[in-house]
Amino acid sequence: MPLETWIETPLAEAVGWTLLHSLWQGAIIAAALGAALLAIRSPRARYAAACLALLLMLGGFGLTWIRVMPESAHSVERIGTPAFPARGAGSGVEPAEARHPGLAAVVPWLAPFWAAGVCIVCVWQLGGWISACRLRRRGVCCAPEHWQKQLARLSARLRLTRPVQLLESCLADTPLVLGHFRPVILMPIGLLTRLPAGQIEAILLHELAHIRRHDYLVNLVQRSVEALLFYHPAVWWISGVIRAERENCCDDVVVAMSGDAHEYAVALAALEQNRWPHNEPAVAATGGNLVKRIHRLLYPKQPNGPWTPLFAAAILLTGVTVTLTAWQVAPADRATSATRNTNAGAPAAAEDSNFMRWLDQDVAYIINAQERAAFEKLASDPERESFIKEFWLRRDATPGAPNEFQQEHYRRISYANERFPTTTGKPGWQTDRGRIYIVYGPPDEIEAHPSGSQRTQYPFVMWMYRHVDGIGDDLLVTFRDRTQTRDYEMEPDPRVVR
């Protein structure tokens, strides 16, 4: 049979041993990268370290194959001849078959499975690339002249010399970049008119940053390495780090040039509802973990998450562990796990305090009267924990995936505490602005009057929501600081529940 004939060749044996050696080599590289990421905070440096790690894995694979190939060929030539045992006994140097007689019979069979896997991954990636390329030819039209000029102005600010074409697409669900030599930015049809001009400029800056950094070309090379080393979990983890830090680098460019991290975070959140995750050959503004990106934009000084060293250690210990996508643990998860991990000898009052804090602070604005009454009737901690779990599940639109509602809720609480505290010490979540932000999310438009107006001397701000489910369209909420303590009180509105 042709397969058995190929298995007996030096090439198949060399590939098999190379695959085995690449497991421990990749594990060491991944562990080293995990340790480096603990010490590095700059997204550019983290991105460079991850790219270097991926290239080292590819280089290690190639060098190992070159090193193993002559030995395999030399060994096969002596199979079945009397010189084989004499060589092992006299020279003290044994070929691979003599050192691992049982493994040597299995190793060559790894080659056809690896080749089949590479073909499957390549076909899958080729299909995605073709689908992405078709977007630049189908259902597209030129963007308005105003935005063409704005794009040229932003390109000049980034010192981008290559011409960039801006198109509107009825097939793209999120802004993305296609092409390296003739780059095209595709914007979903109507997006240029739905979002404020400042947010559109921030999105365009993000896409131009991808072009300036040659991310489209790097992404193609990265996916080629993924296809070649598809079997190694470290490759997929390192690729995930590269994609996340790539987006962080572009986010930093946007914030550095626009100076408004909050406005850009609002733009990213608005784009998430149109997210289309299938066009990996393209690079888009909604790439990476959106919750982590928004959290990083709003709280840039917080330390790195704890999952990187743990994951690297797992790869080092197992070498073949299946990777999982790590997401940032929401504050609610930390609070719940804290109650679960409380020592058995801890006072019962501390347990009750944790649950009551969840009821009276964490979900004070989103829990209804029936749920509150049911929770207050519970007598045991397991019942309360089960209630909290079901509470979030009832509000999860995508069961089985990370609870986006819960993550977004705690992001809003963190943002309210950061941006809306009063000078008297009241936390942001207890203020009227914090409550409206937590319940309804970021407003579509903000009009601030820090010096008041002709009719009033008190500072005030107005938030405009184009649409709020259950309330209607064009909701305008006015907050006025009558105490001069940054405690902006909401003016009565019959449509907004206090």
Side-chain angles (χ1 to χ4, degrees):
M1 295 177 60
L3 180 59
E4 294 180 353
T5 303
W6 183 46
I7 293 300
E8 297 175 357
T9 62
L11 177 61
E13 185 181 4
V15 170
W17 285 110
T18 301
L19 294 174
L20 286 182
H21 285 301
S22 68
L23 293 178
W24 64 265
Q25 292 170 352
I28 293 177
I29 293 173
L33 176 62
L37 293 181
L38 286 177
I40 301 174
R41 295 186 57 85
S42 169
R44 295 180 63 182
R46 292 165 66 90
Y47 176 78
C51 289
L52 178 61
L54 196 64
L55 291 177
L56 286 176
M57 290 196 65
L58 179 63
F61 184 92
L63 291 176
T64 302
W65 183 82
I66 295 173
R67 175 68 178 83
V68 172
M69 184 63 185
E71 178 184 350
S72 301
H74 190 66
S75 302
V76 171
E77 291 175 359
R78 285 168 169 75
I79 293 179
T81 66
F84 179 81
R87 179 181 182 271
S91 64
V93 179
E94 296 180 309
E97 291 86 338
R99 293 195 303 268
H100 309 284
L103 189 60
V106 178
V107 164
W109 287 93
L110 297 178
F113 289 101
W114 170 78
V118 171
C119 292
I120 293 174
V121 176
C122 286
V123 169
W124 171 63
Q125 292 184 351
L126 180 62
W129 181 78
I130 293 175
S131 298
C133 290
R134 290 173 62 185
L135 291 177
R136 68 185 298 165
R137 299 190 302 268
R138 286 187 161 188
V140 296
C141 61
C142 291
E145 183 66 22
H146 166 71
W147 285 113
Q148 299 282 0
K149 294 180 179 179
Q150 289 293 95
L151 182 68
R153 180 180 61 84
L154 296 175
S155 298
R157 291 181 61 188
L158 280 175
R159 298 180 181 178
L160 188 63
T161 57
R162 280 178 292 171
V164 182
Q165 189 176 9
L166 180 61
L167 301 176
E168 288 190 286
S169 171
C170 61
L171 299 179
D173 292 332
T174 186
L176 51 88
V177 171
L178 293 173
H180 173 70
F181 299 103
R182 294 184 300 168
V184 173
I185 297 179
L186 295 184
M187 300 290 284
I189 195 76
L191 185 65
L192 296 175
T193 58
R194 288 200 304 268
L195 296 183
Q199 295 182 13
I200 294 296
E201 289 190 7
I203 294 169
L204 291 177
L205 276 173
H206 181 99
E207 303 304 331
L208 289 173
H210 278 306
I211 298 173
R212 181 69 176 83
R213 290 164 35 85
H214 311 288
D215 285 339
Y216 185 87
L217 182 61
V218 175
N219 188 49
L220 291 181
V221 176
Q222 176 185 345
R223 288 172 63 79
S224 300
V225 178
E226 290 175 355
L228 185 64
L229 305 178
F230 71 93
Y231 59 91
H232 207 309
V235 171
W236 298 102
W237 175 65
I238 294 174
S239 287
V241 174
I242 292 175
R243 290 190 173 92
E245 297 305 332
R246 174 187 297 149
E247 299 303 323
N248 290 338
C249 290
C250 293
D251 290 344
D252 287 349
V253 172
V254 176
V255 174
M257 298 193 68
S258 65
D260 192 345
H262 173 259
E263 186 74 5
Y264 180 50
V266 172
L268 290 179
L271 289 177
E272 178 63 8
Q273 61 184 350
N274 293 323
R275 187 186 180 99
W276 185 16
H278 303 296
N279 283 317
E280 291 188 9
V283 283
T286 52
N289 188 307
L290 187 73
V291 175
K292 284 186 177 181
R293 289 174 59 191
I294 293 178
H295 192 274
R296 175 182 169 274
L297 288 170
L298 299 180
Y299 314 107
K301 295 183 180 181
Q302 291 198 0
N304 298 326
W307 294 107
T308 296
L310 294 179
F311 187 82
I315 294 180
L316 182 60
L317 292 174
T318 63
V320 290
T321 302
V322 178
T323 53
L324 299 174
T325 304
W327 56 84
Q328 189 177 26
V329 181
D333 297 333
R334 293 196 294 267
T336 305
S337 62
T339 56
R340 286 199 300 266
N341 296 330
T342 304
N343 295 330
E351 294 278 355
D352 294 339
S353 175
N354 288 331
F355 287 116
M356 294 310 297
R357 186 181 301 112
W358 178 85
L359 179 66
D360 296 333
Q361 296 184 17
D362 290 9
V363 298
Y365 300 141
I366 63 175
I367 191 170
N368 58 46
Q370 293 79 7
E371 290 174 324
R372 177 179 289 274
F375 185 83
E376 291 175 343
K377 293 178 181 178
L378 300 177
S380 66
D381 292 344
E383 291 178 340
R384 296 183 181 117
E385 291 179 356
S386 178
F387 180 94
I388 293 175
K389 182 178 180 180
E390 293 296 328
F391 176 87
W392 294 117
L393 287 177
R394 285 194 295 271
R395 290 159 171 80
D396 186 11
T398 56
N403 195 319
E404 296 178 356
F405 179 90
Q406 182 183 11
Q407 293 176 345
E408 172 63 13
H409 177 72
Y410 280 99
R411 184 201 67 78
R412 294 180 184 182
I413 292 178
S414 298
Y415 182 81
N417 289 334
E418 178 75 16
R419 297 296 293 266
F420 305 136
T422 68
T423 57
T424 59
K426 180 189 291 188
W429 73 270
Q430 290 184 346
T431 65
D432 284 353
R433 285 191 299 173
R435 177 174 60 86
I436 296 300
Y437 186 90
I438 292 171
V439 175
Y440 300 130
D444 297 306
E445 297 181 15
I446 298 178
E447 183 177 329
H449 298 270
S451 301
S453 64
Q454 295 180 350
R455 294 187 301 172
T456 176
Q457 61 178 340
Y458 301 117
F460 68 96
V461 295
M462 293 187 295
W463 289 5
M464 165 65 78
Y465 292 89
R466 295 194 182 94
H467 177 78
V468 177
D469 293 338
I471 293 182
D473 297 330
D474 299 330
L475 174 63
L476 182 64
V477 187
T478 303
F479 305 91
R480 205 174 300 276
D481 184 14
R482 292 185 173 87
T483 60
Q484 302 291 312
T485 61
R486 292 183 54 82
D487 190 2
Y488 285 77
E489 297 180 352
M490 186 183 73
E491 294 188 350
D493 190 318
R495 295 190 294 174
V496 181
V497 179
R498 293 193 60 88

